[in-house]
Structure formats: structure tokens, C-alpha cells
Amino acid sequence: MKKVLIANRGEIARRVIRTLNKMNIKSVAVYSEADKDAPFVHEADEAVHIGPAPSAESYLVQDKIIQVAKDLNVDAIHPGYGFLSENADFAVRLKKEGIQLIGPSAEAMQLMGDKLSAKQAVKAYDVPLVPGIDKAVVDFEEARKIAVEIGFPVLIKASAGGGGKGMRLVEREEDMEEQMGLAQSEARSSFGNDAVFVEKFVTKPRHIEIQIFADNHGNVIHLHERECSIQRRHQKVIEEAPSAILTPELRAKMGAAACAVAKACDYSGAGTVEFLLDADLNFYFLEMNTRLQVEHTVTEEITGLDLVELQIKVANNEVLPIKQEDVQLNGHAMEIRVYAEDALSNFMPDIGTLKRYKKPEADYIRIDDAFEEGMEIPIYYDPMIAKLITWGKTREESIDRMIYAIDHYEISGLRTTLDFGKYVMKHKAFRSGDFDTNFIKHYFSDPKIMHTAQKEEKRALEASLGQLWEDVIEKQNKQVVSEQIK
């Protein structure tokens, strides 16, 4: 493999380019009009403009990307995450063109891309499933009967797609019709498919995912878990590895189940198997993401592995260079997704210009970012500015280092989720490990909460500075008296 095209943008494009440079593989970037001045464009060995800012006219246009790959004699395409990364049709087209996709087969994508077919596939491997119905429904009355039989609360979920779209929690039978209509409408507009299924809502759920890797020679391993329970709108904001709640025994069981899921679809490459963990530490299969995850960084920090490098080696038909017993678990890592969002206004996007952008620096701080000072955050894409990652020998140390990193991350010109991240890091429920996916609902439902926390922190800082000043004055006075005595 001598040349790889990155069919993506932003921080993940930069991330892939770094590994390609390390492996002495040439990189090709494709970019839209909105990204013409982006760092990833200048860091690639070659860069080609592929269209206007909207992704439907650039990053999602398969014909343009494939033509660039052919024109520049590209060996493989890395899709990153989002955009075409889980598009089975794209995988089929690349295979026909003789271009290697750095990812799984189209068949694995199709099987795991539909939640119901995924559930059917893993059943034979005794992977635990959330109680519910294993078929798609479009008729309300049928869905209502299923929900009554399962017992409320239930979740209505789009059969196709993911990312929290087409998902509704229904706590009472009388709300069923309205919520199903909303779920179907969102599923139809997002995935072109309004089929949904109904499953039991797990109380106090934690979102635990297992990173797996498989090669084309029958080897499957897991790289431990990530805790992704701090979410807004069913989308992750903060991730960590490992989880504060998993025992070595439970970790081994979930890891084995995740590897079984990979075997169920003859998987190859990097994948993530997502589970729900209930209050009694029972775990249930949710879905499999057939790509690299945004939060792969924390797995890299605790294992010392380069997941992009492993992806490339597997795509090159190499045998995985590590076995399960070789996988280390060293320390603890935290990640905050730094979004251009106003956490106090229900995490609404706050698009603007990075008037001030200065990153914290320390050996234990990692930042995967997409922008530089003076750049504007485009309105056309996900508003993530960066991923802020810290590592520590213990979870407590990693949290404290994250607070330090947030305090020294200077961003002005728009609101970000950094303050929210700090609020979470200091919250007693998070620090104790006693939290679930309802963290925001339980502890952040009122914007005044964070204002109060910020005021208390300011008062504490002022009191500390006041005491420090008093100590300095007292010390000076004692020194003066001592000199007069002499």
C-alpha cells in the first residue's frame, strides 16, 4: 500500500494522515469549498477539491471520490467515521474498481447496519439481548400491543441507522402513538426507512462499548472497554477507558461477547460492539459500529496501540500483530468532545470564529483537533472543534488532569462544551463512578446548576487568593518586626 485517500475531513483526516506519515504511505485529501483552508488539506501530500460546502455535494458524492482515487492511482481509501464510513454501496463500488477499503466488507456492514438483522445474527452466539421484539413494525396498533406485552417504559428505535436518530422513550401507553410518529418521521428523513422496533427500556443504563479487531485469517481480539454514558440527545459527549464499574471478570465476559459478535458477521478490521449495562451489571447487545469510533483515542492511550495503523495492516491482508494476551491495560484515559455548542441552551450549536485558540500542553494531554486560531467553524458539518484527552495512572488522576487541561484551554469567539466537561469532572456522581446515561437529565436539567457551580468555584478561588494574600502580608510583617528587633 503506497497511497491512501482519506474520504473525510477535520480532525479524523489529520489523525489518519499522521499514521500514514509514520508508515511512509502517501496521503491524499479531498476537501469541500468550506474546508479549503483547513489544516488537513495542507498536511496531506496531495489534496483535491471535490465540491461545494454541503456534504451532499462533496463528501458524500461517491463518483467524485472514486474518480479522484482513480486519477491519482490510489491503493486504498480510509473513510474515517461518518459520511461514507458505513455505506455498503460504497464498499461494493470500491471493490469493483479494485480499490481497497480500509474497513470491513459490504456484507458485514449490511448485516450490522440493520439493528434487527444484527440481533438475529448474534442470537446463535448466545450474546445477551435486551428483551423486546425481533421484527420491524410500521403499524401503530401492532407496536402498541408489543409495548403493552413487554411492559412500559419502552424504547422505540429506528431499525436502520443510529446516532440516536429515530429513537424515543415511551413511559406511558397514552404517549405511544405520538412518540412512535415522531420516531418514524425522524427515521424516514434520516435513513429513508420508517420501520421501527420496540424493546424494554433498561433502567439506570450505562453505555459500555468494546473495541474489537479482526483480521482476514480468523483472528479476533478485543481491546477492552470504553464508558460512554455521558450523552446529550443519545450522542456521546464524554468518554473514558476503562469503565469505573467493570470488574476483570465482567470485562472478560463482555470482551468475549464482543468477539462473538464479530465472528457472527465474519468481520475484518476495527469495530465497536455497543452494550447496555443495567444496575445489576447485566449486559445486553445494542449494535455494532463497523468503523473506527470518534473515541478510539482513549483506547489508544490505555493500550499503547495505534488503531489506524492496525486498520491499515489488516486491510493489507496482514495477520494481526498482537494476540489477546498481549493487550495491555495501562492507566486511565478521559476524552471530552469539544463542541461549538452552548451547554446552557440545550447544547445548541454556537457557530462562529475562533478568535482565540490556545491549547494546553503537557505530556499527559492529547488534542486531536481540526482548526487553528482565526478559522471559522462551518455550519455544514458536526460542530466538533477538537477532542481533548488526558491520561493518568488512576481514574482520579486522569480526571484531575482533565480539569487542569480545561482550565488551560483558551477558546474565545464562541461557546464550547469545555465548561460542561469541567462541571462533569467535578461532579460527585461522576467522580464516584455512580452515574448512567441519565446524567444530564438528573444533574443538568436546569442551566442554573452550572452557573451556581461556577459561582461557587469563583468564590472558593477568591477566598483562597484572599487567604494567600493575608499569609503574604503576615509573612512580610513578621519579617519587618524581625529586622527592627535586630
Side-chain angles (χ1 to χ4, degrees), residues 13-148:
R14 298 184 82 186
R15 167 71 191 86
V16 174
I17 289 169
R18 287 199 299 273
T19 290
L20 292 175
N21 289 340
K22 182 176 75 172
M23 299 178 74
N24 294 315
I25 299 173
K26 295 294 183 182
S27 58
V28 176
V30 291
Y31 64 93
S32 73
E33 184 63 28
D35 284 330
K36 64 181 184 297
D37 297 319
F40 78 92
V41 174
H42 305 296
E43 291 167 356
D45 293 305
E46 298 176 78
V48 180
H49 176 254
I50 56 168
S55 55
E57 299 175 47
S58 51
Y59 296 110
L60 290 174
V61 183
Q62 297 182 28
D63 289 342
K64 291 182 179 180
I65 292 170
I66 291 172
Q67 191 59 53
V68 171
K70 291 167 69 176
D71 290 345
L72 297 182
N73 296 313
V74 162
D75 300 305
I77 290 181
H78 195 300
Y81 40 73
F83 294 140
L84 298 171
S85 63
E86 294 180 281
N87 188 306
D89 292 337
F90 185 56
V92 169
R93 290 193 62 185
L94 291 184
K95 189 173 183 179
K96 286 181 180 178
E97 295 289 350
I99 301 169
Q100 179 67 48
L101 175 69
I102 300 176
S105 68
E107 292 77 16
M109 286 186 193
Q110 288 171 330
L111 186 60
M112 289 295 146
D114 183 278
K115 293 183 177 67
L116 289 176
S117 66
K119 285 188 173 188
Q120 291 293 341
V122 304
K123 258 186 175 182
Y125 288 79
D126 294 324
V127 177
L129 300 173
V130 177
I133 193 73
D134 293 334
K135 67 173 184 175
V137 294
V138 293
D139 177 67
F140 162 68
E141 190 56 36
E142 184 180 5
R144 186 192 65 78
K145 288 179 180 177
I146 293 168
V148 170

Side-chain angles (χ1 to χ4, degrees), residues 69 292 325 399 435:
L292 195 68
E325 56 267 26
I399 291 173
F435 61 93

Side-chain angles (χ1 to χ4, degrees), residues 172-399:
R172 305 179 304 166
E173 183 178 352
E174 50 265 43
D175 298 331
M176 185 76 185
E177 187 169 11
E178 178 187 5
Q179 294 303 316
M180 181 171 171
L182 291 171
Q184 287 186 297
S185 176
E186 190 171 20
R188 194 181 305 114
S189 62
S190 298
F191 315 118
N193 182 350
D194 66 356
V196 297
F197 64 99
V198 183
E199 66 182 22
K200 182 69 178 174
F201 178 70
V202 177
T203 57
K204 291 197 71 176
R206 294 178 79 118
H207 184 129
I208 307 290
E209 61 187 32
I210 306 290
Q211 175 72 60
I212 64 96
F213 248 96
D215 63 21
N216 301 316
H217 306 278
N219 301 300
V220 184
I221 62 172
H222 70 84
L223 308 182
H224 305 308
E225 82 281 1
R226 297 185 288 256
E227 168 92 54
C228 307
S229 297
I230 307 296
Q231 306 177 358
R232 49 98 173 94
R233 296 189 292 276
H234 301 293
Q235 294 178 320
K236 306 159 192 172
V237 189
I238 295 172
E239 301 100 350
E240 62 178 302
S243 168
I245 200 171
L246 261 63
T247 63
E249 294 76 19
L250 183 55
R251 178 173 295 116
K253 285 182 181 178
M254 294 183 75
C259 289
V261 172
K263 292 173 183 175
C265 63
D266 195 21
Y267 199 78
S268 175
T272 298
V273 182
E274 304 197 349
F275 295 98
L276 275 184
L277 188 72
D278 68 16
D280 297 318
L281 301 185
N282 300 305
F283 64 92
Y284 307 99
F285 171 74
L286 271 181
E287 61 182 344
M288 183 181 194
N289 291 309
T290 53
R291 54 173 168 78
L292 195 68
Q293 294 278 88
V294 174
E295 60 275 16
H296 74 277
T297 57
V298 290
T299 296
E300 291 185 326
E301 293 301 308
I302 64 166
T303 61
L305 298 170
D306 182 331
L307 269 58
V308 175
E309 182 178 5
L310 286 179
Q311 282 187 297
I312 292 169
K313 287 182 175 181
V314 168
N316 241 343
N317 206 33
E318 296 179 32
V319 175
L320 273 175
I322 53 171
K323 299 184 183 299
Q324 189 63 61
E325 56 267 26
D326 300 325
V327 180
Q328 301 296 309
L329 200 169
N330 179 32
H332 203 101
M334 291 279 162
E335 175 181 283
I336 289 179
R337 301 190 190 190
V338 185
Y339 284 110
E341 292 180 349
D342 184 359
L344 299 179
S345 297
N346 196 28
F347 295 90
M348 290 297 291
D350 191 48
I351 304 302
T353 301
L354 288 169
K355 294 179 180 177
R356 173 72 169 164
Y357 187 69
K358 184 179 179 183
K359 297 179 281 189
E361 294 182 1
D363 291 341
Y364 52 80
I365 295 174
R366 169 179 171 177
I367 297 177
D368 285 16
D369 60 359
F371 300 95
E372 295 173 345
E373 189 169 281
M375 292 183 67
E376 186 175 338
I377 310 300
I379 63 172
Y380 306 97
Y381 317 115
D382 183 278
M384 187 166 67
I385 299 169
K387 298 183 302 194
L388 175 61
I389 305 105
T390 56
W391 178 90
K393 292 187 290 293
T394 63
R395 184 173 187 265
E396 184 177 33
E397 184 177 56
S398 182
I399 291 173

